[in-house]
Amino acid sequence: MKNNLWKAIFLIAATHLLSRWRQSLISVLGVTFSIAAFVGMISLMTGINDFFEVLMLENTPHIHVYHEEHLNQKTVLAKVMNNTDELYVVKGIKPTHRERGIKNATEVLRLVRAQPEVYGASPLLSAQVFYQHGSIPLNGTLSGIEIEEYNKLFNLNAKIEQGRIEQLSGSAPALILGSGLAEKLGVKLYDYITLTAYNGIKINAMVACIYSTGVSSIDNSTSFASLATVQRILGKDKGYFTDINIRLYNIRDADGVSKRIQQLTQCRADDWKKINAEVLLGFTLRNILTVAVSFSLLIVAAFGIYNMLTMMMYEKIKDIAILKAIGYERRDLRRIFICEALLIGMVGGVSGIVFGILISYGLSNIPIQSVQLKTVTHLPVNFKILHYLLALTFALVTSFLAGWIPAVKASAIDPIETIKA
Amino acid sequence: MTIAMIEAHNITKYFGLKNKKSFKALDNVSLNISKGEFAVISGRSGSGKSTLLYILSAMDNSYEGTVWLDDQKLSGMNDRELSRIRNRKLGFVFQFHFLLPHFSVLQNVLLPAMKNSGISERECRGKALEKLQWLGIEHLADMPSQKLSGGQQQRVAIARALMNEPDIIMADEPTGNLDRQNSELVFQIFRRLRSEKNKTILVVTHDKDLAQTADRVIYMEDGKILNPDHYL
Ligand SMILES: Nc1ncnc2c1ncn2[C@@H]1O[C@H](COP(=O)(O)OP(=O)(O)OP(=O)(O)O)[C@@H](O)[C@H]1O
Ligand SMILES: [Mg+2]
C-alpha cells in the first residue's frame, strides 16, 4: 500500500514540526503575515481598480470618433515649387480655416451604426458657453446630443436628480444642467438661463432636468441639450457635429472596430483604452505595487522557512540516519522535508487568508470622503475566492521552493557517519 | 555444505582518496556466513569491524570487491535498490538504540513496514504487536520511546529490525551501552531468533563472554579476518 508510506512521511513531518513548535510557529507566522498582507492588498487594489473601471466604463464610450485637426503640411509655396530641391523657407505657418466637425457627419454616423458589433452610436456637438442667470456668467461645456440614443448608451436617466428627460424632446431650447452648475448659478428646475457662445449668439433655455454623475468635475461644468439647440447656438446647420460616441455589444471588440472605422471613414477613432490611458496606467501601477510588496514579504517568509528547515535538518540528523538505515530512500527523505515546508505553507496560507479577509473587511469599513467622487462612502474592497486561491497557491509554491534545498541536503546525509558518532 | 546467506569476496575499503594519504580499512576481506548461522565479529578497536558490517548491510557502497546477500548481488546496486535491501532483506540494530523520539514504541516498530508497500496498515499493526509480544514488551506499545530504559529501547530496536521479516539481522555492538543483564538478554534474543525463526545473524561485539555463545566468532585485525574458515 503506497499510502502507508505517505502516512509515515506525513507523520514524521508533523512530528518534527511539533517537536520544534516554537520555530515552526514563527515560520508559520511569517507566511501568515505575508499572505494576509497580500490578500488585504490585492482585495483593496482590485477593489479600487474595479471601482474606477465601472466609473470609467459608465462615463466613457467604447469608441470615440472625431475629426482630427492637423496642420496642413503642404504650404501653397511648396505646391507651386512642385517639391523641387530648391531652398525655400516659410516661417510661422498657421492653420487656416479650422473645421472641427466631422466631414459628411450624417453619412459617417450611418456607416458606424451599420457595423454589426455596434450597440449604439450617439452624435455629439459640444460647445464652450457662458451660462448666465442673474449677473455672473459661468464658463462651461454644453453638449448637444440625441437625447434618446445617448440615454440608451450612457443611462442618463439614472443620473437625473430632478425633472424628466422627455421634456427635452420639444422644440424649445431646454437643458439638462449639472447639479454643481445649478448650485453655482442658483437656478431651480424650470428656471431660464442665458447661454452665450464664443461667436456671440445667445439663447434662452429652460432648465428641464438636473443631473449628477458623482464626478464633480463633470457636474460643475457640463450640461446637455438637444443636438439642434447646440447647432443653433453655434450657427451650424443640421448634420453638423464633432464627435460620435459608440458603445459596443462587447467591449473586447473595441480595438478592432475602432481601426475599421478609422479606415472606413478617415476620421480618428480611439478605443476606450486610448481614451482612458492614464486611468489604465493607474491600474497597472496598483497591480505592480501589489505584486512588489507581496513578493518581498513572501521572500522574507521563504527565508524563514528555509532557515528553520535547515536547522531542522541538522537537529534531526539522527532521525534521517535511522530512516535511511531501515530502508527509506533519498526521495522519501526529500518528501518528508518538502512535506514539512508545505505544512508550514498550508497552515500559514490558510491563516493568512483568514487574517487577510479580516483586514479586507476592516478596510471596507473605513469611510472616505471625496469631493471628486460622491458615490463612494467607504474604501472599495473586493472579496473574491479567486484571490484567496491565488494566495494559497503562492503560499504553497513559496514554501515548496524554500524547502527544496534543505530537503535535498537532508536526503544526501550519509547515515554511517551519523550512526558512528 | 550449507548455503551461504552472506558472501563477501575480496572486499577492500579505503578511507579518503585513493592515494598515499588514504587509509586501507579493509584489506581483501572474504567471508561466508551460512543460512541460519549466528556469527560474531570480534577484534580490537579500529580493526575494521564496523566498516565491514556497514558494507555487508548495504549502507556503504563505496568499496572494491563483491557482496552477495542470499541470491542478490549488492555491488553495483543503486541507492534505491540498496534501500530496498535494507528495508526487506535485513534488519539492523545499532549500538545506541536510535529510536525516533516523539514517536511511540508501536510507531517506531511500524516504520519499516510503512515503507514496505504491499501490506495493509491493519496487517502492519498486527505484525508489530506480534513482534513486541515475542520480545515480551507488548505492554510498552503506546509508550513514548524516550521514556523507555536502555534495555527496553534496544528490544524495541530489535522488534523494528524484525518488522519486515528479514532473513538477516545485523548489529553493531548492540550491547555496548547495556548492563550485563540486558546484554545477556539481547544475546539470548539473537539465539532465539536463530533457533526459533532460522534467521542469519551477524553481530559485532567486544564482549568475549557473549561472543562465545554464538555459533562462530570471526576475529579481525588491521582490516583483515584472522580466521575466515574457522567454525566453532
Ligand atoms: N570516515 C572515516 N574516515 C577515515 N577513516 C575512518 C573512517 N571511518 C573509519 N575509519 C578508520 O577505519 C578503521 C576501522 O574503523 P572501524 O570503525 O571499522 O573500526 P571498528 O573495528 O569498528 O572499531 P571499534 O571497535 O572502535 O568500533 C579505523 O582505523 C578508523 O580510524
Ligand atoms: Mg565499530
Side-chain angles (χ1 to χ4, degrees):
Chain A
M1 312 275 150
K2 202 83 187 168
N3 57 344
N4 277 352
L5 175 60
W6 286 107
K7 241 182 223 170
I9 285 171
F10 180 82
L11 193 70
I12 294 165
T15 311
H16 276 183
L17 292 177
L18 288 177
S19 75
R20 285 253 138 256
W21 66 270
R22 254 178 275 253
Q23 280 89 332
S24 309
L25 187 67
I26 291 169
S27 304
V28 166
L29 286 180
V31 179
T32 305
F33 181 66
S34 50
I35 292 299
F38 170 73
V39 168
M41 274 193 77
I42 201 167
S43 302
L44 179 62
M45 293 306 177
T46 58
I48 294 174
N49 281 358
D50 288 359
F51 173 77
F52 277 120
E53 188 173 319
V54 168
L55 200 72
M56 175 180 88
L57 294 181
E58 213 171 69
N59 291 307
T60 56
H62 295 167
I63 299 173
H64 176 211
V65 181
Y66 58 101
H67 173 68
E68 195 172 33
E69 299 163 38
H70 43 176
L71 235 55
N72 195 350
Q73 296 294 330
K74 263 192 172 176
T75 58
V76 178
L77 182 60
K79 282 179 191 161
V80 172
M81 299 299 281
N82 212 9
N83 287 344
T84 51
D85 288 342
E86 282 167 68
L87 196 68
Y88 58 87
V89 176
V90 182
K91 281 186 178 169
I93 303 168
K94 289 186 186 105
T96 58
H97 181 66
R98 282 213 274 181
E99 189 53 87
R100 296 198 303 128
I102 298 172
K103 281 178 194 155
N104 293 326
T106 322
E107 175 61 17
V108 170
L109 185 60
R110 197 193 57 74
L111 209 80
V112 165
R113 282 181 173 155
Q115 303 307 312
E117 297 92 340
V118 171
Y119 168 67
S122 166
L124 175 83
L125 174 59
S126 61
Q128 291 301 311
V129 293
F130 287 105
Y131 299 96
Q132 199 161 1
H133 176 73
S135 54
I136 322 141
L138 276 178
N139 191 5
T141 309
L142 179 65
S143 294
I145 51 175
E146 277 179 7
I147 303 288
E148 251 169 64
E149 182 78 357
Y150 191 88
N151 187 32
K152 175 180 138 192
L153 302 190
F154 299 103
N155 197 11
L156 192 57
N157 238 337
K159 292 162 195 144
I160 301 292
E161 286 187 334
Q162 301 172 42
R164 288 155 46 94
I165 54 172
E166 286 78 13
Q167 284 165 309
L168 270 87
S169 40
S171 56
L175 283 178
I176 304 175
L177 201 62
S179 59
L181 209 46
E183 212 170 290
K184 283 199 223 168
L185 289 165
V187 294
K188 290 191 291 293
L189 213 54
Y190 310 132
D191 283 352
Y192 278 84
I193 55 179
T194 312
L195 304 172
T196 315
Y198 69 91
N199 54 16
I201 299 178
K202 281 188 187 194
I203 283 183
N204 272 330
M206 186 187 75
V207 178
C209 303
I210 293 175
Y211 80 95
S212 168
T213 58
V215 183
S216 59
S217 61
I218 297 175
D219 298 347
N220 285 346
S221 67
T222 311
S223 58
F224 295 94
S226 70
L227 198 53
T229 306
V230 183
Q231 281 161 349
R232 217 172 94 198
I233 201 170
L234 287 178
K236 301 287 184 185
D237 25 305
K238 265 190 160 188
Y240 177 88
F241 47 87
T242 50
D243 309 78
I244 301 171
N245 288 327
I246 302 169
R247 296 284 276 193
L248 304 174
Y249 288 103
N250 188 346
I251 193 166
R252 281 177 229 284
D253 298 328
D255 187 42
V257 175
S258 68
K259 279 181 185 141
R260 194 188 319 146
I261 289 172
Q262 205 154 287
Q263 267 180 357
L264 287 172
T265 64
Q266 277 142 2
C267 289
R268 185 70 190 258
D270 291 345
D271 66 354
W272 62 280
K273 284 183 190 155
K274 213 170 249 170
I275 302 168
N276 295 288
E278 65 284 350
V279 180
L280 291 170
L281 183 66
F283 287 14
T284 314
L285 289 179
R286 273 188 288 277
N287 288 340
I288 288 173
L289 189 69
T290 309
V291 170
V293 170
S294 313
F295 193 69
S296 2
L297 287 171
L298 273 173
I299 283 183
V300 173
F303 265 101
I305 295 176
Y306 169 82
N307 252 338
M308 182 221 165
L309 287 180
T310 306
M311 265 170 48
M312 183 75 85
M313 182 201 94
Y314 288 117
E315 201 165 288
K316 302 293 181 187
I317 205 160
K318 256 166 87 175
D319 289 19
I320 296 166
I322 298 167
L323 289 169
K324 279 198 159 181
I326 63 177
Y328 282 73
E329 296 166 34
R330 277 163 172 267
R331 54 174 184 173
D332 299 327
L333 285 146
R334 218 160 47 223
R335 285 165 179 165
I336 288 170
F337 278 77
I338 292 290
C339 186
E340 289 177 30
L342 289 179
L343 275 172
I344 294 173
M346 190 76 189
V347 175
V350 169
S351 59
I353 289 166
V354 170
F355 275 112
I357 293 173
L358 290 178
I359 291 173
S360 315
Y361 182 75
L363 288 173
S364 72
N365 278 312
I366 295 178
I368 48 167
Q369 282 178 340
S370 164
V371 188
Q372 279 287 311
L373 306 166
K374 291 198 177 109
T375 50
V376 272
T377 53
H378 293 92
L379 279 178
V381 177
N382 273 341
F383 293 89
K384 279 193 181 153
I385 299 281
L386 185 71
H387 293 155
Y388 309 144
L389 291 178
L390 196 67
L392 192 64
T393 312
F394 278 166
L396 292 179
V397 168
T398 311
S399 51
F400 178 86
L401 294 177
W404 184 254
I405 291 173
V408 168
K409 277 191 196 157
S411 75
I413 281 173
D414 180 5
I416 300 172
E417 292 307 313
T418 314
I419 289 162
K420 268 189 187 171
Chain B
M1 191 53 204
T2 40
I3 317 146
M5 182 56 94
I6 305 169
E7 214 178 316
H9 290 294
N10 307 325
I11 305 291
T12 300
K13 166 86 184 176
Y14 291 91
F15 280 112
L17 289 170
K18 217 180 155 188
N19 55 32
K20 278 176 193 167
K21 276 187 180 174
S22 70
F23 176 79
K24 206 178 199 176
L26 292 177
D27 186 4
N28 215 27
V29 170
S30 296
L31 180 68
N32 252 320
I33 312 267
S34 317
K35 205 170 195 164
E37 192 177 11
F38 176 12
V40 163
I41 305 178
S42 204
R44 243 182 267 133
S45 181
S47 54
K49 307 182 294 291
S50 299
T51 307
L52 178 61
L53 200 66
Y54 292 133
I55 289 171
L56 298 180
S57 64
M59 273 197 263
D60 188 351
N61 68 345
S62 63
Y63 55 88
E64 289 165 22
T66 34
V67 175
W68 290 79
L69 290 188
D70 211 354
D71 52 352
Q72 283 171 299
K73 187 180 167 193
L74 299 193
S75 322
M77 277 189 178
N78 63 26
D79 177 66
R80 205 128 148 216
E81 292 162 326
L82 289 172
S83 297
R84 208 181 146 85
I85 295 284
R86 293 199 294 269
N87 187 239
R88 315 249 174 110
K89 193 67 190 169
L90 62 92
F92 203 97
V93 181
F94 308 100
Q95 174 172 8
F96 306 97
H97 359 79
F98 278 134
L99 301 177
L100 290 203
H102 309 289
F103 276 77
S104 75
V105 165
L106 189 65
Q107 284 172 326
N108 264 289
V109 176
L110 278 172
L111 280 172
M114 303 282 263
K115 172 63 189 164
N116 185 355
S117 53
I119 314 171
S120 77
E121 202 185 350
R122 179 184 281 263
E123 229 178 307
C124 288
R125 282 177 180 278
K127 268 190 172 181
L129 285 170
E130 174 203 310
K131 304 296 175 224
L132 290 173
Q133 207 161 13
W134 192 79
L135 292 162
I137 47 170
E138 74 273 19
H139 58 284
L140 301 175
D142 294 322
M143 289 269 280
S145 61
Q146 306 114 290
K147 292 207 172 153
L148 268 52
S149 74
Q152 287 170 330
Q153 288 197 32
Q154 198 57 300
R155 272 179 280 167
V156 175
I158 295 172
R160 184 178 65 193
L162 294 173
M163 192 56 207
N164 283 338
E165 312 285 356
D167 295 322
I168 307 163
I169 300 290
M170 294 191 195
D172 191 3
E173 306 198 28
T175 62
N177 254 21
L178 301 178
D179 59 20
R180 192 77 227 152
Q181 202 188 338
N182 275 308
S183 300
E184 276 169 7
L185 187 60
V186 166
F187 264 71
Q188 198 187 319
I189 291 167
F190 287 147
R191 287 195 299 274
R192 273 177 71 204
L193 278 173
R194 193 205 63 139
S195 57
E196 287 177 29
K197 305 206 169 199
N198 199 31
K199 306 278 184 206
T200 305
I201 296 161
L202 184 58
V203 178
V204 169
T205 186
H206 273 121
D207 193 312
K208 292 211 168 61
D209 294 340
L210 288 175
Q212 297 314 313
T213 66
D215 299 337
R216 171 184 171 195
V217 183
I218 299 157
Y219 290 102
M220 284 191 75
E221 206 175 284
D222 294 336
K224 290 194 178 93
I225 291 178
L226 297 180
N227 56 340
D229 304 315
H230 174 74
Y231 288 82
L232 277 177

